[in-house]
Amino acid sequence: MFSSIGRKYQETALIKLIAIGLVLGIIVAVALPQVVPAISILGDLFVKALKGVAPVLVFVLVMNAMAQKNADASASMRPIVRLYIISTFLASMVAVSYSFLFPTTLHLAVASSEVSPPSGIVEVLHNLILSVVDNPLHAIVTANYIGILAWAVLAGVALHSANDSTKETIADLAKAVTKIVQWVIRFAPFGIFGLVANAIGESGIEALIGYAQLLAVLLAAFFSVALIMNPLIVFLHIRRNPFPLVWTTLRESGIYAFFTRSSAANIPVNLSLCKRLGLSEDTYSLSIPLGATINMSGAAITIAVLSLAAAHTLGIEVDMPTALLLCVISTVGACGASGVAGGSLLLIPVACASFGIHNDVAMQVVGVGFIIGVLQDSCETALNSSSDVLFTATAEFAERAKEGTLESADLVPRHEG
């Protein structure tokens, strides 16, 4: 009996199992709130497992890719990085536009956070540079992906001239780690069940009501980027209907990221999706971990919207040149968010400084960010992480489109089996 159940579980599409876990999580949270603390352990285990395996996976896969890499791998990364940066900047412009159309007033009466934000954009860049030369073991333990990428690339380049047996050993190690990740991902329905039950069981919804307009502006910007701007970027590159690919990335990457609220935890999910989309492993094994550190459209939106809300609350007039400067700061700051404790929210004081807003006030805005984080952070992470796959696929599909080899079926992932 148990073997037949296990076989049926393995044969069922993962997205269907996740949907079941999501619905069950809602039902349990509403009907049996007393069991939510016990069930939430499943979610904690899932996120912890993903976060635990992701740094090792990234290090091994990137090292293997660099050791085995062909001459086209570096060239294929350039259009992806360009898409990452352009989309993040355009997302900040969308956020600024919504903030001008729907100015928001905050109630700045929350306590300042105990964490210290960076003093300026120079410190953000300084932190990023120092992250590159972090001790490799410390980088893996602390999930410093900038450092992990740097050391993995160096190790891979050094091993590029190694003998074939050494390269085969590295390749086998990469396959073994990938297999472990697949086992962890199959646990996802149980993890989502626990995460959803815990999220609904907490009393965070009431706290959101007082910030309904701020949340509405943020969510409008997130959805506009995900469903209008990003599809337009994809269409301009592949000249095909972009929505099959957009829906795929949102459904099979964004849903995970929404509930785990961690781009790092979503790296294994994105790598698996890229494989099922038939993308080049030499490329996506580099672009996905890189995207988790610099492709931060959602973070740019958060920084821009909350900073302009603070300016409006204080009666500060923001002209177009200053708004454009904010877009640049939001873009650079978002790319550096992963290197700063607290993520995108702690980059808000950097942007506020461009308006002359005192740090004490800016930190109160950060406090507002933490209050609405139950929705804001989930949507931000879903947008950030799903677009890592979206733009990795877009760059490769654009090349296929030029060569006349791109088929509509390529935009849909293969079935698991």
Side-chain angles (χ1 to χ4, degrees), residues 115-128 293 296 298-308 326 328-355 359 362-363 365-367 370 376 380:
V115 290
S116 300
S119 58
I121 204 68
V122 174
E123 185 177 343
V124 174
L125 296 174
H126 178 260
N127 291 337
L128 278 174
T293 60
M296 294 286 173
I301 289 171
T302 297
I303 293 168
V305 168
L306 285 171
S307 300
L308 285 172
L326 174 63
V328 174
I329 293 174
S330 298
T331 301
V332 177
C335 292
S338 62
V340 180
S344 61
L345 292 177
L346 287 185
L347 272 298
I348 291 171
V350 177
C352 284
S354 64
F355 305 137
N359 186 62
M363 285 309 296
V365 180
V366 173
F370 280 114
Q376 170 269 326
E380 175 186 310

Side-chain angles (χ1 to χ4, degrees), residues 54-79:
V56 178
L57 175 71
V58 169
F59 182 81
V60 173
L61 286 187
V62 171
M63 179 175 64
N64 179 57
M66 296 303 297
Q68 324 272 354
K69 87 179 186 79
N70 54 50
D72 296 330
S74 298
S76 63
M77 282 296 296
R78 284 195 288 270

Side-chain angles (χ1 to χ4, degrees), residues 5 9 12 30 38 68 90 109 113 118 129 139 168 173 200 213 268 270 292 354 357 374 377 383 389 400 403 417:
I5 294 175
Y9 182 85
T12 305
V30 173
Q68 324 272 354
L90 292 177
S113 175
I129 293 171
E168 288 175 7
L173 178 61
I200 296 178
Q213 182 175 341
N270 284 348
S354 64
I357 297 175
V374 65
D377 191 41
L383 176 59
V389 181
R400 295 188 199 175
E403 297 167 359

Side-chain angles (χ1 to χ4, degrees), residues 40-63:
S40 66
I41 296 174
L42 294 173
D44 294 338
L45 282 173
F46 178 57
V47 175
K48 188 76 172 179
L50 281 175
K51 287 184 176 180
V53 76
V56 178
L57 175 71
V58 169
F59 182 81
V60 173
L61 286 187
V62 171
M63 179 175 64

Side-chain angles (χ1 to χ4, degrees), residues 281-292:
E281 187 174 355
D282 286 342
T283 300
Y284 72 69
S285 61
L286 296 173
S287 68
I288 293 302
L290 181 64

